[in-house]
Amino acid sequence: MAADDPFHHLHDEDYARPYLAGLAGAATYVPVNGRPVLSLAGDWRLTLDLFDEGLRQKWFALDETPPSQWSQPRDYEIEAGELVPVPSCWNLLKPEWTYFEGAAWYTRHLDWQSGHAGERAILNIGAANYAALVFVNGIHVGGHRGGSTPFSLDVTDALRNGRNRLQVMVENRRSPVRVPMQHIDWFNYGGLYREISLMRLPAVFIREARAALLPGGRQIRFSIALSETVDATARVDIPELGLSLSIAVRDGEGEVTTPFTGQAWSPEAPRLYDAVFSCGEDRITERLGFRTIEARGTDILLNGEKIWLKGVCVHEDDLVLGKVSTEDDVRRRLRHVKELGGNFLRLSHYPHHAHVARIADEMGLLLWAEIPVYWAIAFDNPDTYADAENQLRELIARDINRASVILWGVGNENADTDARLSFMARLAQVARKADPTRLIGAACLINRETFAIEDRLAEHLDVIGLNEYFGWYEPDFSGLDRLLANSAPGKPVIVSETGADALPGHRGAGRVLFTEDWQAEFYRQQVRRLAATPYVAGIAAWLLYDFRTERRQTSFQKGFNRKGLIAEDKTTRKLAFAVLTELFAEW
Ligand code: GCB
């Protein structure tokens, strides 16, 4: 069939193949980190595309002649799209879009003038759930998969001086081979829901700049990687520490180690230092905290001293904004953890917005950051593995310099099969190699046969996360007593989830499910037992706020998971909030 046949696309089910190549990933990621950018936030045109007509018919290649001058009928017209704000989640923009799972085309124009010869134009997208394809002036410049990590595309060659058209196709279908897969306990928001911007960089730029306090806490190592394998001299300056060092770069990489004379970062004293990394004309800024974290025996040590992690889990979810996290919302979230008397937050179950770790650095909170290797991932699928590994590397690359992040989580509640073991052990190795300065963990399940905290993955982890719901999904606490007595994990255990649902205002005595009273009593029973168990180094209560999830449809739930200590309005505190505050103060 000839390609100029107007009906050709009706018979081509292989239409997506050309766009599988050119995916951005951790290796092509370029952090913004204080560089000047042209923000592309604001109004975009959005057209939903349930049947993938955009790729089938190549909507991106259409010119912009007005409809009155079309020589052939079309199914796409930029101006016919809805005007929507970016960042946003489309589900919350129109009632009829609430449950939309499919592709959608974002389009906007921008003016651009090229600068110095050799200059690169880098497009940064904070996140697009789940997959994205990017077109500049009708040219396919690349794509990305993974719904919560940032990516960068070099669009220099597709841009022209003057007016340019930028199109991003975002697609959020759930699928058994994605990460996460189709069965999740949260809402599947879609869209360009984090910042998007364009920046100019010199021909050779800083791809990565790291700073880490080495074990022992006496030396800092700075390292730098450039975009090209060249020799150069880079610099790092931290005026408050009196540091001004040059870094010899060979074949694009260099590092320098120097004594640390400052004050260590901790939740009680979250001391940050302004740092500048530079090389040639390129310059990035960072606010750095310096601390060590390690697991020794069954203890977790922060700056060499034992610490108990007391905290909560939280989803990135908002009644009005969905997955969009504003800075105010993040600050409120972290203030609530502080009010609980907590020092710890688990960012479940996927990478949260980059400013969470920045603000946690400032406010002094310790973070567990993870990728959505959740429940029944296609562990025997090599392409699924590649996607998960890339998401992990992108998360690490983005947050590598955040003092608040102490642990990389490689999965949540995955059955202990051989395929899962090799998949997740590999992820743990990747994380450890990419970042030897943090703990590696995963939220594990109980071994039901031995009724103990035993998981074959544990030997690859520094910290065992344990999700347990004795008193909620399991009727009483005797099982917890048995489990804790039966287990000798030999490593620190963080109870990475425990909790009970409560509908605000629903009251009752005894074990009446969905009451505030039972949720409060649940925490009394749990924390009493966990605090008395020497190998338990921390608790992350499930969870801070009620959140949307379509799996939950009783009259108590109505589309929400009600295990929040605070309702979905982020204001109404349940009884358990005060109870847990007291329990944390006593522990
Ligand atoms: C879990 C999951 C979490 C759920 C929670 C619950 O174990 O890890 O994603 O939302 O239980 O509320 O059942």
Side-chain angles (χ1 to χ4, degrees), residues 219-299:
Q219 295 203 299
I220 327 177
R221 176 167 303 149
F222 297 101
S223 57
I224 208 155
L226 303 180
S227 56
E228 307 291 328
T229 50
V230 293
D231 295 348
T233 303
R235 298 201 63 76
V236 56
D237 288 280
I238 306 184
E240 287 168 287
L241 288 176
L243 278 182
S244 182
L245 301 168
S246 64
I247 308 176
V249 177
R250 294 287 165 265
D251 291 335
E253 290 183 8
E255 62 176 44
V256 66
T257 302
T258 193
F260 176 57
T261 54
Q263 187 190 335
W265 180 98
S266 71
E268 298 74 39
R271 180 73 164 97
L272 297 176
Y273 296 91
D274 287 313
V276 180
F277 291 87
S278 54
C279 187
E281 296 153 57
D282 196 20
R283 181 177 189 274
I284 65 176
T285 55
E286 282 277 22
R287 294 196 76 203
L288 300 171
F290 298 99
R291 52 103 195 93
T292 61
I293 189 81
E294 64 195 293
R296 194 179 298 158
T298 56
D299 294 338

Side-chain angles (χ1 to χ4, degrees), residues 84-97:
V84 302
V86 169
S88 65
C89 296
W90 59 59
N91 316 74
L92 299 175
L93 299 178
K94 291 177 82 168
E96 60 270 37
W97 289 356

Side-chain angles (χ1 to χ4, degrees), residues 59 88 107 146 159 206 251 280 313 331 374 388 422 479 538 570 573:
W59 284 353
S88 65
T107 303
L159 282 173
I206 301 170
D251 291 335
C313 303
R331 288 191 185 277
Y374 183 88
S422 69
K570 298 179 179 163
R573 294 177 188 206

Side-chain angles (χ1 to χ4, degrees), residues 184-186 315 346 348-349 374-375 412-413 443 445 467-469 472-473 497 499 501 542-543 547 549 551-552 561-563:
I184 51 177
D185 192 27
W186 64 89
H315 262 292
R346 175 178 175 209
S348 40
H349 284 296
Y374 183 88
W375 289 351
N412 181 78
E413 288 186 0
L445 292 165
N467 289 3
E468 56 85 3
Y469 285 87
W472 182 250
Y473 293 120
E497 283 179 34
D501 285 71
W542 186 257
L543 81 170
F547 62 97
T549 170
R551 293 178 65 240
R552 314 279 182 175
N561 185 312
R562 299 272 178 218
K563 295 190 190 70

Side-chain angles (χ1 to χ4, degrees), residues 276-469:
V276 180
F277 291 87
S278 54
C279 187
E281 296 153 57
D282 196 20
R283 181 177 189 274
I284 65 176
T285 55
E286 282 277 22
R287 294 196 76 203
L288 300 171
F290 298 99
R291 52 103 195 93
T292 61
I293 189 81
E294 64 195 293
R296 194 179 298 158
T298 56
D299 294 338
I300 295 177
L301 308 184
L302 177 75
N303 298 322
E305 286 182 23
K306 181 173 164 80
I307 184 165
W308 278 271
L309 303 176
K310 303 179 208 177
V312 277
C313 303
V314 71
H315 262 292
E316 203 170 45
D317 191 22
D318 185 81
L319 268 187
V320 178
L321 297 174
K323 270 179 84 62
V324 177
S325 282
T326 63
E327 193 171 324
D328 284 351
D329 193 25
V330 172
R331 288 191 185 277
R332 169 174 54 187
R333 204 176 292 170
L334 302 191
R335 268 199 315 271
H336 277 143
V337 183
K338 288 268 178 187
E339 280 178 46
L340 264 176
N343 57 10
F344 178 55
L345 188 61
R346 175 178 175 209
L347 306 176
S348 40
H349 284 296
Y350 39 74
H352 287 211
H353 195 294
H355 54 220
V356 176
R358 288 189 187 281
I359 299 171
D361 274 7
E362 249 178 55
M363 290 175 62
L365 282 163
L366 302 164
L367 301 177
W368 163 317
E370 70 190 63
I371 52 166
V373 173
Y374 183 88
W375 289 351
I377 291 288
F379 288 116
D380 50 8
N381 183 324
D383 199 42
T384 303
Y385 175 80
D387 187 356
E389 183 183 312
N390 182 56
Q391 293 186 42
L392 178 64
R393 288 184 184 279
E394 287 175 334
L395 168 63
I396 294 174
R398 191 193 70 180
D399 288 352
I400 188 73
N401 289 327
R402 302 284 69 81
S404 52
V405 177
I406 53 166
L407 185 147
W408 303 121
V410 295
N412 181 78
E413 288 186 0
N414 317 96
D416 191 354
T417 62
D418 291 350
R420 174 268 195 171
L421 180 61
S422 69
F423 188 109
M424 288 178 62
R426 239 173 115 188
L427 289 179
Q429 276 158 23
V430 165
R432 201 178 297 287
K433 189 144 184 257
D435 179 12
T437 70
R438 289 182 174 82
L439 306 172
I440 313 295
C444 300
L445 292 165
I446 297 161
N447 180 336
R448 293 267 157 192
E449 272 155 39
T450 57
F451 215 77
I453 304 170
E454 279 173 4
D455 185 311
R456 288 182 294 162
L457 185 65
E459 73 172 278
H460 304 277
L461 305 176
D462 302 308
V463 168
I464 304 171
L466 172 69
N467 289 3
E468 56 85 3
Y469 285 87

